[in-house]
Amino acid sequence: MIQPVGAMIRFDNVSFSYGAMQGQRPVHAVQNSSLSIKKGTHVALVGRNGSGKSTIARLMNGLLLPDEGLVIVDGKRTVDEDSLYAIRKQCGMVFQNPDNQIIGTTVRDDVAFGPCNLGLPVDEVLRRVDEALDEAGLLALKDRAPHELSGGQKQKLAIASVLAMQPDCIILDEATAMLDPSSRHEIMTLMLELKKTHELTIVQITHHMEEALLADYIYVISDGGIAFEGQPSQVFEQSDRIRREGLSVPMHLDIAHLIREHTGVPFNPQEIITFEGAVNYVRHALGYYRELATSEDTVTAPTCVPSEPFAHEADQQTDVIEVHNLSYTYGTEIGAPVAALDDVSLAVRDGEVLGIVGHTGSGKSTLIQHFNGLIPSEEGTVIVLGQDLSRRKVIRGIRRHVGLLFQYPEDQLFEETVALDIAFAPKQQKRSPQEVERAVLRAAERVGITSILDRSPFELSGGQRRRVAIAGVLSAEPDILILDEPAAGLDPGGRDALFADLMTLAGEGATLVIVSHDMELMARYADRVLVLKEGQIAGVGTPEEITSSPEFLEQVYLDVPAPKRFLDQFKDDYPNLNTFSFNACDAARALIAVSVPENTAGGSHE
């Protein structure tokens, strides 16, 4: 067939199934899909976990070949063996888990691997390496061994390794999922700048809808096919359809839709696609609404259901984890040791939900790995459930009560089937077969994976693997549950369902320690939030206390929760506005409430 003029990637009725050639039960990952991506454009692929997004990405650069149909890259067919080298040279890919593509002994060597294989002169290789590391913010770490980096830093390294190849197209498969907001913004700014200056084609798989807004075009993937597509304004105008696909609407658009619903003031979808455009629209609509309220006997109130802050009984008098003056330093193969934690002291209370936040490399993962003795304390004391973990003989017993989910679920999946993987912990606890079965089913139901219990965990999508790993921790029914970025890689619907289940556990008395970059989640669910910066505690307090200062959050490389960020734009308009809100409904109700004069409508907006 003829490749359309200007097309970088084209799918023509492509289908692909896993397991079809190995005698396994085939899993239809992509079904009769057609799409076209123009050169120099930024296209986002969005969809729930297991919808086929990562398979489509691997088909794009020939890592997988279609069972049916054709994939054509810049005029070359991926099924033509002679074209594969050129296709993979043109299309660089950054995977969900950076460990899958890091091979160098140092950061610099890893980035140099690709350019060296292109046969470039040494001077050109060195120039590209330094340039790519500088763009990714890793130049100061170029002599560090990759295994000494944090998860987010590894992700930046994977991106730098692809940038050094200077491809015509970069495929990002959830490449920003493990990055803090500041780093995520830096990477997206870099990608868009390269698109502009080098006519780079960007194909981005993401669950961050704010990133999808930056794209020129969006494909919504569902069950291996394209559910619908369009420009961001066209896609997100179909908010109900978006939610049915397990996705979310960017906060400023969601608020604008609710304000339109309750004021009747229309908007142009293209105008509100930006944050500033949505703010301008809402300000105009509220002005109209206020005039209406003064001339009518009653006004319509927002009909959406406001959130109820998570509330549970926590024992404020009992500490289940105590950390005193904890410091930890990683030895490095080259260069000076790295201070990961510096004189950290904290207490985790029985039954509370403690959020731990901080920039990439701030020490979050290092800290929580001290809580069950995975990392022995070098300097300072860690006491868990009354046991001093410096006494190594107590650690085995403590781990029966403390469950830990790592950043990358692949690190703790190993069995032949999902069911066997989840069953491992209760089997180790010497439970009866009936008790093991009940624990497996209960954990699987909590995270929504009962339909894949007979599948191999290694044939699942990244988001599905994360759910399996979480279920494996839940099946042990620990008293203290520690989760390192549990929502990373999950679609918005899966994320919300997971946290609803986690809060059920908290309501049943479990203590939760959750590491996250998502301040919205922490604001809604955490009792307290602890902020780490460069291995030290920068702040600790209630979510409202921690998020009250945008200046503080900027200093620690975190974002103001999106509802609060939107409401903050109206503080001068409405001095009495409460800007601490959990979601779009709460924000819209708060705006409607303060925009109506107190003596109007007799409280109908309550």
Side-chain angles (χ1 to χ4, degrees):
M1 64 176 295
I2 299 175
Q3 179 83 343
V5 176
M8 183 69 200
I9 298 172
R10 181 177 176 87
F11 278 40
D12 182 32
N13 298 318
V14 171
S15 295
F16 180 85
S17 297
Y18 290 101
M21 302 299 292
Q22 292 82 27
Q24 303 172 4
R25 178 170 62 93
V27 177
H28 302 293
V30 179
Q31 302 184 62
N32 197 34
S33 294
S34 298
L35 58 83
S36 181
I37 297 174
K38 294 180 181 179
K39 290 183 180 179
T41 60
H42 175 194
V43 172
L45 306 180
V46 300
R48 67 176 78 241
N49 295 127
S51 62
K53 305 185 300 299
S54 294
T55 302
I56 289 174
R58 285 163 171 76
L59 288 163
M60 285 180 176
N61 72 343
L63 287 175
L64 297 174
L65 300 179
D67 298 329
E68 298 177 8
L70 288 174
V71 177
I72 302 172
V73 179
D74 200 21
K76 298 176 285 292
R77 306 190 316 172
T78 61
V79 293
D80 295 335
E81 190 172 342
D82 293 341
S83 298
L84 276 179
Y85 177 80
I87 288 172
R88 290 172 183 167
K89 178 181 175 182
Q90 279 185 285
C91 291
M93 185 166 179
V94 182
F95 297 102
Q96 283 178 306
N97 186 342
D99 287 327
N100 292 340
Q101 62 188 108
I102 293 175
I103 58 173
T105 56
T106 68
V107 167
R108 176 169 48 190
D109 289 344
D110 193 78
V111 178
F113 180 81
C116 284
N117 277 277
L118 296 177
L120 299 174
V122 173
D123 289 347
E124 174 65 10
V125 171
L126 294 176
R127 184 190 67 79
R128 288 194 183 192
V129 168
D130 284 349
E131 187 176 277
L133 287 173
D134 186 46
E135 289 173 334
L138 293 177
L139 190 57
L141 305 178
K142 64 181 180 180
D143 293 323
R144 187 83 61 82
H147 70 265
E148 297 167 355
L149 303 179
S150 70
Q153 289 169 332
K154 287 181 181 179
Q155 195 68 277
K156 287 186 176 184
L157 173 57
I159 293 170
S161 298
V162 171
L163 290 177
M165 299 280 287
Q166 296 185 357
D168 298 318
C169 172
I170 291 184
I171 303 167
L172 304 169
D173 189 358
E174 288 287 348
T176 63
M178 299 305 299
L179 300 180
D180 60 65
S182 179
S183 297
R184 195 163 65 240
H185 296 161
E186 289 172 4
I187 292 299
M188 290 309 303
T189 299
L190 171 61
M191 291 293 109
L192 296 178
E193 182 63 26
L194 291 173
K195 169 182 174 285
K196 179 179 179 180
T197 58
H198 300 289
E199 297 185 356
L200 184 71
T201 303
I202 302 171
V203 180
Q204 183 178 15
I205 295 171
T206 183
H207 289 140
H208 290 287
M209 296 300 106
E210 291 75 12
E211 291 180 353
L213 274 181
L214 302 174
D216 301 307
Y217 204 78
I218 298 175
Y219 287 101
V220 180
I221 311 299
S222 180
D223 295 326
I226 298 170
F228 59 106
E229 62 187 88
Q231 296 176 355
S233 59
Q234 297 169 326
V235 168
F236 287 114
E237 179 64 10
Q238 304 175 67
S239 56
D240 290 341
R241 200 173 181 186
I242 281 283
R243 292 189 180 90
R244 284 198 299 271
E245 294 298 335
L247 303 174
S248 62
V249 177
M251 188 63 62
H252 63 275
L253 295 181
D254 209 359
I255 295 172
H257 286 150
L258 288 170
I259 294 297
R260 177 183 64 179
E261 175 185 341
H262 300 299
T263 65
V265 179
F267 58 61
N268 181 337
Q270 192 62 43
E271 291 178 355
I272 67 157
I273 203 70
T274 65
F275 181 85
E276 293 76 14
V279 169
N280 290 336
Y281 160 74
V282 169
R283 182 169 284 119
H284 164 70
L286 291 179
Y288 169 83
Y289 189 76
R290 184 181 181 87
E291 292 180 6
L292 177 67
T294 59
S295 61
E296 301 283 346
D297 291 334
T298 61
V299 294
T300 58
T303 55
C304 61
V305 180
S307 66
E308 293 186 8
F310 171 68
H312 67 293
E313 293 296 328
D315 186 348
Q316 301 296 323
Q317 306 302 318
T318 304
D319 294 334
V320 292
I321 299 176
E322 301 172 57
V323 178
H324 302 285
N325 308 112
L326 181 65
S327 296
Y328 187 80
T329 301
Y330 285 106
T332 59
E333 297 175 5
I334 301 176
V338 177
L341 297 174
D342 181 12
D343 196 27
V344 171
S345 296
L346 65 100
V348 182
R349 300 161 184 163
D350 186 20
E352 81 167 327
V353 180
L354 176 69
I356 300 180
V357 300
H359 61 82
T360 299
S362 62
K364 303 184 299 296
S365 297
T366 302
L367 176 61
I368 62 172
Q369 287 179 60
H370 280 83
F371 292 172
N372 74 341
L374 276 179
I375 298 179
S377 55
E378 290 181 343
E379 181 181 337
T381 305
V382 179
I383 299 173
V384 178
L385 298 174
Q387 300 290 325
D388 187 341
L389 298 194
S390 63
R391 298 167 56 214
R392 303 302 293 172
K393 64 181 181 181
V394 308
I395 289 178
R396 183 179 179 87
I398 283 294
R399 288 178 183 166
R400 294 178 178 272
H401 301 277
V402 181
L404 173 62
L405 177 80
F406 296 111
Q407 271 186 324
Y408 295 104
E410 292 86 348
D411 294 340
Q412 53 198 112
L413 301 179
F414 58 92
E415 285 281 13
E416 293 181 3
T417 68
V418 168
L420 288 174
D421 220 306
I422 300 172
F424 180 78
K427 284 180 178 179
Q428 294 300 303
Q429 295 172 335
K430 309 298 183 184
R431 299 191 197 179
S432 70
Q434 294 79 11
E435 290 173 329
V436 170
E437 182 178 1
R438 282 196 295 269
V440 169
L441 291 175
R442 185 180 184 188
E445 288 172 356
R446 282 191 183 278
V447 296
I449 56 171
T450 53
S451 64
I452 59 172
L453 287 174
D454 62 339
R455 296 266 301 275
S456 166
F458 303 105
E459 67 182 21
L460 304 177
S461 71
Q464 288 172 321
R465 291 185 191 185
R466 182 164 293 273
R467 292 187 189 193
V468 173
I470 293 170
V473 175
L474 294 179
S475 66
E477 299 178 350
D479 300 311
I480 302 173
L481 185 57
I482 304 169
L483 304 109
D484 196 350
E485 294 287 355
L490 293 184
D491 59 65
R495 175 202 63 203
D496 293 342
L498 169 64
F499 268 81
D501 286 331
L502 291 177
M503 294 309 110
T504 298
L505 286 175
E508 294 170 356
T511 302
L512 304 184
V513 178
I514 303 174
V515 172
S516 178
H517 289 134
D518 193 328
M519 286 302 299
E520 286 179 50
L521 288 175
M522 294 299 93
R524 179 165 187 177
Y525 295 115
D527 296 307
R528 290 188 302 146
V529 177
L530 182 144
V531 183
L532 284 177
K533 180 182 180 183
E534 297 175 0
Q536 297 180 324
I537 294 179
V540 62
T542 65
E544 189 163 3
E545 290 169 343
I546 292 297
T547 60
S548 62
S549 171
E551 293 77 18
F552 169 73
L553 292 176
E554 183 178 357
Q555 290 170 7
V556 295
Y557 309 106
L558 296 171
D559 273 346
V560 177
K564 176 174 170 49
R565 177 171 171 250
F566 194 91
L567 292 176
D568 281 345
Q569 305 301 307
F570 296 87
K571 287 192 296 187
D572 291 339
D573 303 74
Y574 307 106
N576 295 328
L577 176 65
N578 179 6
T579 62
F580 188 73
S581 290
F582 293 121
N583 56 27
C585 181
D586 292 342
R589 290 174 69 90
L591 287 167
I592 291 293
V594 297
S595 68
V596 179
E598 293 184 4
N599 61 348
T600 302
S604 64
H605 54 271
E606 290 298 325

